[in-house]
Amino acid sequence: MGDVVQLLTENGELREDEVYSRYVEELDDAALRDLYRHMALERRVDAEATSLQRQGQLALWAPALGQEAAQVGTIAALKPTDRVFPTYREHAMALYRGISPEELMATFRAARHTGWDPHTYHFNNYAVVLASQTLHAAGWAMGIVQDQRTGTLDPDQPADEIVLACLGDGASSQGDAHESMVFASSYQLPLLYFIQNNHWAISVPSSTQSPAPLVRRAYGYGFTGVQVDGNDVLASYAVARHCAEQIREGSGPQLIESITYRLGAHTTADDPTKYRSAEEVEVWRAKDPIARCRSWLQAEQKADETFFEETDAEADELAAELRRAVLEMEPIDLERVFDTVYAEPHRQVEVEKAWLKDYEAGFAEEEGR
Amino acid sequence: MSQTFTLPDVGEGLTEAEIVSWRVQVGDTVAVNDIVCEIETAKSLVELPIPFAGTVDELVAAEGDTVEVGQPLIRIRDAAGADDDAGDDAGGADGAARAAAEDESATRDSGAQDSEAQDAAAQDSAAPGAATQDPAAPGAATQGAAAQPAAETSERPAADSPIVEDSDQQALVGSGPKADAAKHRPRLRPTELDLVEVSDLDPPTPAAPAAGLQAGDIAEMVAKASPPVRALAKRLGVAVWDLVGSGRNGQITRADVERQAQQRSGQGKAGRSRAAGAAAPGPHGGLPSQTGLLYDGPREEKVQVRGVRKATALNVSASASTVPHVSVFKEIDVSRTMDLRRRLRDQPEYQDVSVSPLLFAAKAIIWAVRRHPQVNASWHETHYTLRNYVNLGIAAATPRGLVVPVIHEAHTYSTLGLAAAITELTSDAREGRTTPAEMQGGTISITNIGPLGLDLGTPILPPGQAAIVVLGAVRTKPWVVEGQVVPRQVMTVGGSFDHRLIDGDLAGAFISDVAAVLEEPGLLLD
């Protein structure tokens, strides 16, 4: 198991690692800057979405503040065709894959069930039911294995596709996560579990969810796991690259426990000051993943001020575009919501649809209308 | 032109919020996403960013006001609005905003409290200058409905709704189909679940919800009543789904349920529902005999319940109605404690802290809890949890109402540390600086009614706790010491206990131990 893998220290110094350093050395300066850029863009989008919720334009938002490095580092290490099964907080991953902020927001405005076609981006729809996506991921991975065995793999799909199953420390307690890992192990699936341990499952600390490190669970199921500093984008990248390579070579499933911290609220409907101290948040604020990456890029002269200014400007444009898009979104068509539950007419759905119509019609008319 | 920011639902299904503080004043310049105010909802304190840029024109609600979701908070005048002319027929957001501004001021002038009208006005992007006094203007109705994401979507022609113009005026309310345009409209009738005949479809395998009970169960699930109201209805035997809600958004309220229960059982007994307590007398102006009133003011006054008062009411009703309370008292001689208190006060390190009977009682409680762990516990029906630590709640009367801040891990404090903690905590509470976190997690509490000049009281247990100790006033009284009547300093100490967990003998033993320490603080030396 070993220690938590860290390549970029909290002071912004690069460390040597026998196994993992080589993956970072392969990245040129442009690629390193791009990691930073993706983190910065997501943070700006995240802030805009939080504001939009506070202004009544989104029903809910789940901020990813503080988890940018964990997400960007990991998604950057995969191939664009590797299938990702996200939770509801993988905004940096979604944006990295090319999903637009507008597509990302549609569900949070309750304007659509989902904003994007999962097949276009090889990125599944957000799963709000905790850990359900880990079963979907295992199912998808079983499909890959079956296709390979029977020679029916989609010709457009690379033969070495792997699957990323995202989950959090809270979801790790769900039965679904257990079942998924059992199947992944039994069938030796090409599946990478990516647990972002952000320390808080709403108000329950991860120390309550699992007194033992979550990474140890992998060994219980018979595969390997590694803990990585999730606020270190370089380590997150290198560890995911390493795991992905091994899985592609047939290692079977692997698990990454990414140690990070949710700096914001669980969602905009949550008030974290009720369950955690300001001191704790300050400790983690000092480990900010973006600031750490930025100071290293500056110190190594891998990025100049122009780059940071351009990135900020790009982020502001993206945020403005997001605001415009959200305000223009068409509301959801409730008729269609009912009509697309089942392919064929269904009594219960018809009853409920009629109930809603009757309910809507059952209000007093406004005077003069 | 001005744009109005209405209170959004910042949580999930919140209906109102209190304005805690404004961060801007009229005339200030703001940019999009600048924080303009802090609000307190049932869930949390939230900072609100403004969706418009410009100059603050009006703060519609004052600090301390409770504002309903959808009601206007603040109006912002566009910096570039000087060239504006009401006669312009400019389309797009500008036109919408201008119309909204005018309509809204008209609505306000008419003094309408009706938020629906204001909403409609805010959304109305029809021809500028359209009179809101005439809400029959078709534009108002159509636009108002169109801007609401969930309102009768199926009946609305898609083409006639320039959503763009409205949407930046219009906050989403709620997080689902409840967020309809009709949110302020009263219900005319309940909606029956089993109202559609779809005989051409296969019936579901289990019996159709015709059997009364089953239909009732489902109907209850969709009735617009909050869980506490449903619980009340269940307790009073009221079919909550039969009611037409009088509350906001057509919600069924406690009053609806109680009214129904009362009507069903004949009528309420006269005189039974006398007001629990009149508002504090105002300044005594006119002669009461002339006005026929007790003091200056309206004959009856409706006072809105909110904030701490509301929370207190919920907590004490829940506690009093679910926890069987038992109380015991003991009158004791605390002269030695008062002597010790004087001596401690003379110590230099105690200069800046308050050395009160409360401090010694806190020490005594921690000492007594060690001997009787069961009083420091919480009851959960199938089990109870013993807490091997003391998070001491201290009830404090504050201008905002009763709050019970908690000293966490109080058993780890030295006497001086505890004194300092109590001092800080009570001053924070009085100044309203107690954070929600500081009010969580109490395991046992103490309430000091001595400063009110009272001797005895039966406090209600804070939720999740099994004991609360009450301290009376310290008075010099005649006391018999070794056969002689002598003046001693005497107080009554007692408490309320959760009888499910604590019988009278345990309550008595615990209070006797607390009393023993207050009579002989030297016991703390062990």
Side-chain angles (χ1 to χ4, degrees), chain B residues 208-242:
Chain B
L213 187 67
Q214 212 180 350
D217 286 349
I218 300 166
E220 195 206 10
M221 284 194 288
V222 297
K224 285 202 113 178
S226 65
V229 173
R230 280 171 209 221
L232 177 71
K234 211 167 237 176
R235 210 158 54 235
L236 299 177
V238 169
V240 72
W241 53 90
D242 280 348

PDB file of all heavy atoms in Angstrom, chain B residues 208-242:
ATOM      1  N   ALA B 208     -56.450  -1.935  -7.229  1.00  0.00           N
ATOM      2  CA  ALA B 208     -56.449  -0.510  -7.551  1.00  0.00           C
ATOM      3  C   ALA B 208     -56.661   0.279  -6.263  1.00  0.00           C
ATOM      4  O   ALA B 208     -57.301  -0.203  -5.335  1.00  0.00           O
ATOM      5  CB  ALA B 208     -57.571  -0.203  -8.533  1.00  0.00           C
ATOM      6  N   PRO B 209     -56.136   1.487  -6.199  1.00  0.00           N
ATOM      7  CA  PRO B 209     -56.243   2.236  -4.950  1.00  0.00           C
ATOM      8  C   PRO B 209     -57.670   2.701  -4.689  1.00  0.00           C
ATOM      9  O   PRO B 209     -57.924   3.873  -4.515  1.00  0.00           O
ATOM     10  CB  PRO B 209     -55.284   3.401  -5.160  1.00  0.00           C
ATOM     11  CG  PRO B 209     -55.175   3.549  -6.635  1.00  0.00           C
ATOM     12  CD  PRO B 209     -55.375   2.186  -7.204  1.00  0.00           C
ATOM     13  N   ALA B 210     -58.606   1.756  -4.718  1.00  0.00           N
ATOM     14  CA  ALA B 210     -59.985   2.088  -4.429  1.00  0.00           C
ATOM     15  C   ALA B 210     -60.252   1.850  -2.954  1.00  0.00           C
ATOM     16  O   ALA B 210     -60.990   2.594  -2.314  1.00  0.00           O
ATOM     17  CB  ALA B 210     -60.924   1.226  -5.266  1.00  0.00           C
ATOM     18  N   ALA B 211     -59.622   0.813  -2.418  1.00  0.00           N
ATOM     19  CA  ALA B 211     -59.786   0.546  -0.998  1.00  0.00           C
ATOM     20  C   ALA B 211     -59.345   1.780  -0.223  1.00  0.00           C
ATOM     21  O   ALA B 211     -58.269   2.304  -0.452  1.00  0.00           O
ATOM     22  CB  ALA B 211     -58.939  -0.661  -0.599  1.00  0.00           C
ATOM     23  N   GLY B 212     -60.218   2.241   0.676  1.00  0.00           N
ATOM     24  CA  GLY B 212     -60.011   3.525   1.336  1.00  0.00           C
ATOM     25  C   GLY B 212     -58.626   3.710   1.923  1.00  0.00           C
ATOM     26  O   GLY B 212     -57.956   4.701   1.654  1.00  0.00           O
ATOM     27  N   LEU B 213     -58.186   2.749   2.646  1.00  0.00           N
ATOM     28  CA  LEU B 213     -56.915   2.889   3.350  1.00  0.00           C
ATOM     29  C   LEU B 213     -55.765   3.123   2.383  1.00  0.00           C
ATOM     30  O   LEU B 213     -54.977   4.040   2.543  1.00  0.00           O
ATOM     31  CB  LEU B 213     -56.657   1.623   4.173  1.00  0.00           C
ATOM     32  CG  LEU B 213     -55.434   1.724   5.103  1.00  0.00           C
ATOM     33  CD1 LEU B 213     -55.697   2.741   6.198  1.00  0.00           C
ATOM     34  CD2 LEU B 213     -55.108   0.358   5.686  1.00  0.00           C
ATOM     35  N   GLN B 214     -55.768   2.297   1.333  1.00  0.00           N
ATOM     36  CA  GLN B 214     -54.650   2.385   0.398  1.00  0.00           C
ATOM     37  C   GLN B 214     -54.644   3.740  -0.311  1.00  0.00           C
ATOM     38  O   GLN B 214     -53.611   4.390  -0.411  1.00  0.00           O
ATOM     39  CB  GLN B 214     -54.776   1.271  -0.622  1.00  0.00           C
ATOM     40  CG  GLN B 214     -53.425   0.768  -1.097  1.00  0.00           C
ATOM     41  CD  GLN B 214     -53.590  -0.322  -2.108  1.00  0.00           C
ATOM     42  OE1 GLN B 214     -54.704  -0.812  -2.308  1.00  0.00           O
ATOM     43  NE2 GLN B 214     -52.528  -0.700  -2.738  1.00  0.00           N
ATOM     44  N   ALA B 215     -55.836   4.136  -0.737  1.00  0.00           N
ATOM     45  CA  ALA B 215     -55.927   5.431  -1.409  1.00  0.00           C
ATOM     46  C   ALA B 215     -55.472   6.526  -0.454  1.00  0.00           C
ATOM     47  O   ALA B 215     -54.767   7.448  -0.833  1.00  0.00           O
ATOM     48  CB  ALA B 215     -57.355   5.679  -1.871  1.00  0.00           C
ATOM     49  N   GLY B 216     -55.896   6.386   0.790  1.00  0.00           N
ATOM     50  CA  GLY B 216     -55.519   7.378   1.789  1.00  0.00           C
ATOM     51  C   GLY B 216     -54.019   7.459   1.943  1.00  0.00           C
ATOM     52  O   GLY B 216     -53.449   8.545   2.004  1.00  0.00           O
ATOM     53  N   ASP B 217     -53.384   6.295   1.978  1.00  0.00           N
ATOM     54  CA  ASP B 217     -51.938   6.290   2.141  1.00  0.00           C
ATOM     55  C   ASP B 217     -51.266   7.059   1.025  1.00  0.00           C
ATOM     56  O   ASP B 217     -50.378   7.866   1.253  1.00  0.00           O
ATOM     57  CB  ASP B 217     -51.420   4.842   2.131  1.00  0.00           C
ATOM     58  CG  ASP B 217     -51.757   4.149   3.441  1.00  0.00           C
ATOM     59  OD1 ASP B 217     -52.177   4.863   4.381  1.00  0.00           O
ATOM     60  OD2 ASP B 217     -51.617   2.918   3.509  1.00  0.00           O
ATOM     61  N   ILE B 218     -51.713   6.785  -0.201  1.00  0.00           N
ATOM     62  CA  ILE B 218     -51.090   7.453  -1.337  1.00  0.00           C
ATOM     63  C   ILE B 218     -51.436   8.943  -1.312  1.00  0.00           C
ATOM     64  O   ILE B 218     -50.582   9.797  -1.518  1.00  0.00           O
ATOM     65  CB  ILE B 218     -51.551   6.824  -2.669  1.00  0.00           C
ATOM     66  CG1 ILE B 218     -51.163   5.349  -2.674  1.00  0.00           C
ATOM     67  CG2 ILE B 218     -50.939   7.544  -3.845  1.00  0.00           C
ATOM     68  CD1 ILE B 218     -51.834   4.550  -3.744  1.00  0.00           C
ATOM     69  N   ALA B 219     -52.709   9.212  -0.997  1.00  0.00           N
ATOM     70  CA  ALA B 219     -53.120  10.608  -0.970  1.00  0.00           C
ATOM     71  C   ALA B 219     -52.330  11.376   0.079  1.00  0.00           C
ATOM     72  O   ALA B 219     -51.950  12.524  -0.139  1.00  0.00           O
ATOM     73  CB  ALA B 219     -54.616  10.705  -0.675  1.00  0.00           C
ATOM     74  N   GLU B 220     -52.063  10.715   1.186  1.00  0.00           N
ATOM     75  CA  GLU B 220     -51.314  11.412   2.222  1.00  0.00           C
ATOM     76  C   GLU B 220     -49.922  11.764   1.732  1.00  0.00           C
ATOM     77  O   GLU B 220     -49.374  12.808   2.049  1.00  0.00           O
ATOM     78  CB  GLU B 220     -51.212  10.538   3.470  1.00  0.00           C
ATOM     79  CG  GLU B 220     -50.779  11.346   4.669  1.00  0.00           C
ATOM     80  CD  GLU B 220     -50.086  10.508   5.722  1.00  0.00           C
ATOM     81  OE1 GLU B 220     -49.774   9.330   5.457  1.00  0.00           O
ATOM     82  OE2 GLU B 220     -49.850  11.047   6.796  1.00  0.00           O
ATOM     83  N   MET B 221     -49.386  10.860   0.902  1.00  0.00           N
ATOM     84  CA  MET B 221     -48.041  11.104   0.397  1.00  0.00           C
ATOM     85  C   MET B 221     -47.999  12.348  -0.486  1.00  0.00           C
ATOM     86  O   MET B 221     -46.986  12.996  -0.572  1.00  0.00           O
ATOM     87  CB  MET B 221     -47.554   9.893  -0.397  1.00  0.00           C
ATOM     88  CG  MET B 221     -47.145   8.749   0.494  1.00  0.00           C
ATOM     89  SD  MET B 221     -46.213   7.525  -0.424  1.00  0.00           S
ATOM     90  CE  MET B 221     -47.455   6.797  -1.428  1.00  0.00           C
ATOM     91  N   VAL B 222     -49.104  12.632  -1.167  1.00  0.00           N
ATOM     92  CA  VAL B 222     -49.079  13.768  -2.073  1.00  0.00           C
ATOM     93  C   VAL B 222     -49.744  14.996  -1.476  1.00  0.00           C
ATOM     94  O   VAL B 222     -49.722  16.053  -2.076  1.00  0.00           O
ATOM     95  CB  VAL B 222     -49.732  13.436  -3.440  1.00  0.00           C
ATOM     96  CG1 VAL B 222     -48.964  12.343  -4.138  1.00  0.00           C
ATOM     97  CG2 VAL B 222     -51.177  13.036  -3.266  1.00  0.00           C
ATOM     98  N   ALA B 223     -50.330  14.868  -0.290  1.00  0.00           N
ATOM     99  CA  ALA B 223     -50.950  16.035   0.333  1.00  0.00           C
ATOM    100  C   ALA B 223     -49.871  17.070   0.632  1.00  0.00           C
ATOM    101  O   ALA B 223     -48.761  16.726   0.997  1.00  0.00           O
ATOM    102  CB  ALA B 223     -51.657  15.621   1.622  1.00  0.00           C
ATOM    103  N   LYS B 224     -50.241  18.317   0.483  1.00  0.00           N
ATOM    104  CA  LYS B 224     -49.247  19.375   0.690  1.00  0.00           C
ATOM    105  C   LYS B 224     -49.155  19.730   2.162  1.00  0.00           C
ATOM    106  O   LYS B 224     -49.703  20.737   2.609  1.00  0.00           O
ATOM    107  CB  LYS B 224     -49.612  20.602  -0.125  1.00  0.00           C
ATOM    108  CG  LYS B 224     -49.329  20.412  -1.583  1.00  0.00           C
ATOM    109  CD  LYS B 224     -49.183  21.750  -2.252  1.00  0.00           C
ATOM    110  CE  LYS B 224     -47.783  21.993  -2.730  1.00  0.00           C
ATOM    111  NZ  LYS B 224     -47.596  23.232  -3.407  1.00  0.00           N
ATOM    112  N   ALA B 225     -48.552  18.870   2.929  1.00  0.00           N
ATOM    113  CA  ALA B 225     -48.389  19.148   4.346  1.00  0.00           C
ATOM    114  C   ALA B 225     -46.992  18.714   4.752  1.00  0.00           C
ATOM    115  O   ALA B 225     -46.489  17.701   4.280  1.00  0.00           O
ATOM    116  CB  ALA B 225     -49.433  18.384   5.149  1.00  0.00           C
ATOM    117  N   SER B 226     -46.373  19.489   5.620  1.00  0.00           N
ATOM    118  CA  SER B 226     -45.030  19.149   6.059  1.00  0.00           C
ATOM    119  C   SER B 226     -45.113  17.994   7.058  1.00  0.00           C
ATOM    120  O   SER B 226     -46.170  17.738   7.633  1.00  0.00           O
ATOM    121  CB  SER B 226     -44.393  20.368   6.716  1.00  0.00           C
ATOM    122  OG  SER B 226     -45.117  20.678   7.879  1.00  0.00           O
ATOM    123  N   PRO B 227     -44.013  17.285   7.250  1.00  0.00           N
ATOM    124  CA  PRO B 227     -44.051  16.142   8.169  1.00  0.00           C
ATOM    125  C   PRO B 227     -44.603  16.470   9.562  1.00  0.00           C
ATOM    126  O   PRO B 227     -45.411  15.699  10.077  1.00  0.00           O
ATOM    127  CB  PRO B 227     -42.593  15.678   8.214  1.00  0.00           C
ATOM    128  CG  PRO B 227     -42.049  16.076   6.884  1.00  0.00           C
ATOM    129  CD  PRO B 227     -42.748  17.362   6.523  1.00  0.00           C
ATOM    130  N   PRO B 228     -44.226  17.603  10.184  1.00  0.00           N
ATOM    131  CA  PRO B 228     -44.808  17.862  11.509  1.00  0.00           C
ATOM    132  C   PRO B 228     -46.324  18.023  11.449  1.00  0.00           C
ATOM    133  O   PRO B 228     -47.032  17.593  12.364  1.00  0.00           O
ATOM    134  CB  PRO B 228     -44.149  19.174  11.937  1.00  0.00           C
ATOM    135  CG  PRO B 228     -42.974  19.342  11.075  1.00  0.00           C
ATOM    136  CD  PRO B 228     -43.229  18.604   9.804  1.00  0.00           C
ATOM    137  N   VAL B 229     -46.808  18.634  10.375  1.00  0.00           N
ATOM    138  CA  VAL B 229     -48.260  18.816  10.248  1.00  0.00           C
ATOM    139  C   VAL B 229     -48.935  17.467  10.033  1.00  0.00           C
ATOM    140  O   VAL B 229     -49.991  17.184  10.599  1.00  0.00           O
ATOM    141  CB  VAL B 229     -48.587  19.797   9.101  1.00  0.00           C
ATOM    142  CG1 VAL B 229     -50.086  19.853   8.841  1.00  0.00           C
ATOM    143  CG2 VAL B 229     -48.073  21.188   9.451  1.00  0.00           C
ATOM    144  N   ARG B 230     -48.296  16.597   9.257  1.00  0.00           N
ATOM    145  CA  ARG B 230     -48.856  15.255   9.077  1.00  0.00           C
ATOM    146  C   ARG B 230     -48.910  14.507  10.394  1.00  0.00           C
ATOM    147  O   ARG B 230     -49.865  13.796  10.699  1.00  0.00           O
ATOM    148  CB  ARG B 230     -47.982  14.459   8.118  1.00  0.00           C
ATOM    149  CG  ARG B 230     -48.242  14.805   6.687  1.00  0.00           C
ATOM    150  CD  ARG B 230     -47.197  14.157   5.833  1.00  0.00           C
ATOM    151  NE  ARG B 230     -47.028  14.999   4.657  1.00  0.00           N
ATOM    152  CZ  ARG B 230     -46.871  14.529   3.441  1.00  0.00           C
ATOM    153  NH1 ARG B 230     -46.841  13.241   3.239  1.00  0.00           N
ATOM    154  NH2 ARG B 230     -46.740  15.334   2.434  1.00  0.00           N
ATOM    155  N   ALA B 231     -47.847  14.665  11.177  1.00  0.00           N
ATOM    156  CA  ALA B 231     -47.804  13.982  12.476  1.00  0.00           C
ATOM    157  C   ALA B 231     -48.948  14.486  13.343  1.00  0.00           C
ATOM    158  O   ALA B 231     -49.632  13.710  14.025  1.00  0.00           O
ATOM    159  CB  ALA B 231     -46.456  14.228  13.144  1.00  0.00           C
ATOM    160  N   LEU B 232     -49.143  15.802  13.317  1.00  0.00           N
ATOM    161  CA  LEU B 232     -50.226  16.392  14.107  1.00  0.00           C
ATOM    162  C   LEU B 232     -51.571  15.843  13.637  1.00  0.00           C
ATOM    163  O   LEU B 232     -52.423  15.460  14.443  1.00  0.00           O
ATOM    164  CB  LEU B 232     -50.188  17.923  13.947  1.00  0.00           C
ATOM    165  CG  LEU B 232     -51.297  18.691  14.655  1.00  0.00           C
ATOM    166  CD1 LEU B 232     -51.075  18.660  16.165  1.00  0.00           C
ATOM    167  CD2 LEU B 232     -51.364  20.135  14.168  1.00  0.00           C
ATOM    168  N   ALA B 233     -51.736  15.779  12.322  1.00  0.00           N
ATOM    169  CA  ALA B 233     -53.000  15.289  11.765  1.00  0.00           C
ATOM    170  C   ALA B 233     -53.244  13.850  12.202  1.00  0.00           C
ATOM    171  O   ALA B 233     -54.355  13.465  12.564  1.00  0.00           O
ATOM    172  CB  ALA B 233     -52.966  15.386  10.244  1.00  0.00           C
ATOM    173  N   LYS B 234     -52.185  13.080  12.182  1.00  0.00           N
ATOM    174  CA  LYS B 234     -52.296  11.681  12.586  1.00  0.00           C
ATOM    175  C   LYS B 234     -52.736  11.606  14.044  1.00  0.00           C
ATOM    176  O   LYS B 234     -53.607  10.833  14.425  1.00  0.00           O
ATOM    177  CB  LYS B 234     -50.935  11.008  12.395  1.00  0.00           C
ATOM    178  CG  LYS B 234     -51.050   9.532  12.044  1.00  0.00           C
ATOM    179  CD  LYS B 234     -49.724   8.996  11.552  1.00  0.00           C
ATOM    180  CE  LYS B 234     -49.859   8.393  10.170  1.00  0.00           C
ATOM    181  NZ  LYS B 234     -48.597   7.954   9.618  1.00  0.00           N
ATOM    182  N   ARG B 235     -52.103  12.464  14.856  1.00  0.00           N
ATOM    183  CA  ARG B 235     -52.397  12.455  16.288  1.00  0.00           C
ATOM    184  C   ARG B 235     -53.846  12.846  16.528  1.00  0.00           C
ATOM    185  O   ARG B 235     -54.518  12.319  17.399  1.00  0.00           O
ATOM    186  CB  ARG B 235     -51.445  13.433  16.983  1.00  0.00           C
ATOM    187  CG  ARG B 235     -51.122  13.025  18.390  1.00  0.00           C
ATOM    188  CD  ARG B 235     -49.818  13.635  18.890  1.00  0.00           C
ATOM    189  NE  ARG B 235     -49.749  15.063  18.771  1.00  0.00           N
ATOM    190  CZ  ARG B 235     -48.781  15.709  18.138  1.00  0.00           C
ATOM    191  NH1 ARG B 235     -47.812  15.037  17.581  1.00  0.00           N
ATOM    192  NH2 ARG B 235     -48.767  17.018  18.078  1.00  0.00           N
ATOM    193  N   LEU B 236     -54.331  13.814  15.757  1.00  0.00           N
ATOM    194  CA  LEU B 236     -55.689  14.303  15.980  1.00  0.00           C
ATOM    195  C   LEU B 236     -56.717  13.524  15.156  1.00  0.00           C
ATOM    196  O   LEU B 236     -57.904  13.830  15.196  1.00  0.00           O
ATOM    197  CB  LEU B 236     -55.779  15.794  15.612  1.00  0.00           C
ATOM    198  CG  LEU B 236     -54.872  16.719  16.441  1.00  0.00           C
ATOM    199  CD1 LEU B 236     -54.984  18.148  15.946  1.00  0.00           C
ATOM    200  CD2 LEU B 236     -55.224  16.646  17.920  1.00  0.00           C
ATOM    201  N   GLY B 237     -56.242  12.549  14.381  1.00  0.00           N
ATOM    202  CA  GLY B 237     -57.162  11.743  13.595  1.00  0.00           C
ATOM    203  C   GLY B 237     -57.800  12.509  12.443  1.00  0.00           C
ATOM    204  O   GLY B 237     -58.941  12.288  12.078  1.00  0.00           O
ATOM    205  N   VAL B 238     -57.038  13.442  11.879  1.00  0.00           N
ATOM    206  CA  VAL B 238     -57.570  14.230  10.763  1.00  0.00           C
ATOM    207  C   VAL B 238     -57.013  13.673   9.451  1.00  0.00           C
ATOM    208  O   VAL B 238     -55.821  13.380   9.361  1.00  0.00           O
ATOM    209  CB  VAL B 238     -57.158  15.720  10.918  1.00  0.00           C
ATOM    210  CG1 VAL B 238     -57.471  16.495   9.654  1.00  0.00           C
ATOM    211  CG2 VAL B 238     -57.855  16.329  12.123  1.00  0.00           C
ATOM    212  N   ALA B 239     -57.882  13.501   8.464  1.00  0.00           N
ATOM    213  CA  ALA B 239     -57.430  13.039   7.148  1.00  0.00           C
ATOM    214  C   ALA B 239     -56.847  14.227   6.412  1.00  0.00           C
ATOM    215  O   ALA B 239     -57.561  15.076   5.890  1.00  0.00           O
ATOM    216  CB  ALA B 239     -58.599  12.455   6.368  1.00  0.00           C
ATOM    217  N   VAL B 240     -55.544  14.265   6.393  1.00  0.00           N
ATOM    218  CA  VAL B 240     -54.861  15.466   5.912  1.00  0.00           C
ATOM    219  C   VAL B 240     -55.151  15.716   4.427  1.00  0.00           C
ATOM    220  O   VAL B 240     -55.198  16.846   3.958  1.00  0.00           O
ATOM    221  CB  VAL B 240     -53.351  15.365   6.219  1.00  0.00           C
ATOM    222  CG1 VAL B 240     -52.674  14.347   5.339  1.00  0.00           C
ATOM    223  CG2 VAL B 240     -52.678  16.704   6.098  1.00  0.00           C
ATOM    224  N   TRP B 241     -55.421  14.617   3.687  1.00  0.00           N
ATOM    225  CA  TRP B 241     -55.657  14.775   2.249  1.00  0.00           C
ATOM    226  C   TRP B 241     -57.028  15.360   1.930  1.00  0.00           C
ATOM    227  O   TRP B 241     -57.324  15.691   0.812  1.00  0.00           O
ATOM    228  CB  TRP B 241     -55.468  13.433   1.540  1.00  0.00           C
ATOM    229  CG  TRP B 241     -56.289  12.333   2.145  1.00  0.00           C
ATOM    230  CD1 TRP B 241     -57.548  11.985   1.783  1.00  0.00           C
ATOM    231  CD2 TRP B 241     -55.926  11.483   3.212  1.00  0.00           C
ATOM    232  NE1 TRP B 241     -57.977  10.962   2.565  1.00  0.00           N
ATOM    233  CE2 TRP B 241     -57.009  10.620   3.457  1.00  0.00           C
ATOM    234  CE3 TRP B 241     -54.784  11.358   4.016  1.00  0.00           C
ATOM    235  CZ2 TRP B 241     -56.988   9.650   4.454  1.00  0.00           C
ATOM    236  CZ3 TRP B 241     -54.764  10.386   4.992  1.00  0.00           C
ATOM    237  CH2 TRP B 241     -55.855   9.544   5.209  1.00  0.00           C
ATOM    238  N   ASP B 242     -57.901  15.425   2.935  1.00  0.00           N
ATOM    239  CA  ASP B 242     -59.219  16.004   2.712  1.00  0.00           C
ATOM    240  C   ASP B 242     -59.200  17.527   2.840  1.00  0.00           C
ATOM    241  O   ASP B 242     -60.186  18.182   2.545  1.00  0.00           O
ATOM    242  CB  ASP B 242     -60.221  15.466   3.749  1.00  0.00           C
ATOM    243  CG  ASP B 242     -60.721  14.093   3.354  1.00  0.00           C
ATOM    244  OD1 ASP B 242     -60.472  13.699   2.198  1.00  0.00           O
ATOM    245  OD2 ASP B 242     -61.336  13.427   4.196  1.00  0.00           O
TER     246      ASP B 242
END
